[in-house]
Amino acid sequence: MKATGIVRRIDDLGRIVVPKEIRRILRIREGDNMEIFTDAEGGIVLKKYSPIGEMGNVAAQYADSLAQVSGQIAVITDRDQIIAATGSAKREYLGRRISKKLENIMIERDLYHSANGKPVISVTENDNVAVEEQMIQPIICEGDVIGSVIIMAKDKDKGLSEIEKKLVNMASNFLGRRMEA
């Protein structure tokens, strides 16, 4: 573990305040769930809980299926990082933090399609994957945005159509409902 040099007192209800600087760095927002662990030395470890991250294997299988059916790159995220990616994008994306632009698109809760004047956005902060077109659909579970499903076309001639729009919507709905179960 890495020491921060910050010391906080526990109040009479057992609460402790996570400093603003740490919340900002780790993208911990008000209302986020935290998972509590203990380590071998008797320490307490808090980790931001990712409900969709718990479904890593299902998300990976779904991303593979999306890529096979669409012939495009498929990526699934939680609110902080890429949890599943396909093909050559797997090396570039898997486990990386999502970009602020992608985070803002998820907050809007609508399908984002980089067509008709809308630009392709960076999925991660240092995105090196060249794509011509993308569709991003937030995953919503019990009213909260918990991640996104992204389909990207590398080839301009093989753009995204109404079929990919339905696929990304279906994947998002499935993953959201699976989390509710």
Side-chain angles (χ1 to χ4, degrees), residues 25 83 89 91 138 153:
I25 290 167
I83 62 166
R91 285 189 309 275

Side-chain angles (χ1 to χ4, degrees), residues 78-92:
D78 66 11
R79 289 196 55 193
D80 295 306
Q81 66 180 346
I82 311 295
I83 62 166
T86 59
S88 61
K90 190 179 274 189
R91 285 189 309 275
E92 184 66 35

Side-chain angles (χ1 to χ4, degrees), residues 83-180:
I83 62 166
T86 59
S88 61
K90 190 179 274 189
R91 285 189 309 275
E92 184 66 35
Y93 286 133
L94 200 57
R96 294 180 102 199
R97 287 187 104 127
I98 65 168
S99 70
K100 193 71 175 161
K101 289 180 182 180
L102 177 54
E103 191 175 344
N104 291 334
I105 286 171
M106 290 191 310
I107 290 168
E108 291 175 15
R109 297 172 172 251
D110 287 328
L111 175 77
Y112 181 87
H113 185 184
S114 66
N116 303 325
K118 286 186 178 178
V120 170
I121 63 130
S122 295
V123 174
T124 62
E125 292 299 337
N126 299 318
D127 202 337
N128 295 324
V129 178
V131 295
E132 294 294 327
E133 194 175 348
Q134 67 192 170
M135 285 186 187
I136 302 167
Q137 179 69 50
I139 301 169
I140 299 174
C141 175
E142 296 177 350
D144 295 325
V145 175
I146 61 168
S148 66
V149 177
I150 306 167
I151 292 182
M152 299 179 278
K154 277 187 154 185
D155 189 355
K156 199 170 198 163
D157 297 332
K158 217 176 154 188
L160 304 175
S161 68
E162 194 65 29
I163 292 171
E164 283 82 12
K165 182 178 179 179
K166 288 180 181 180
L167 285 171
V168 76
N169 193 334
M170 182 179 67
S172 169
N173 284 334
F174 172 80
L175 292 169
R177 289 184 182 188
R178 174 93 188 236
M179 289 307 306
E180 289 174 358

Side-chain angles (χ1 to χ4, degrees), residues 20-28 97:
K20 188 177 191 174
E21 305 82 37
I22 292 175
R23 291 192 318 260
R24 184 178 39 81
I25 290 167
L26 298 177
R27 292 183 173 179
I28 298 171
R97 287 187 104 127

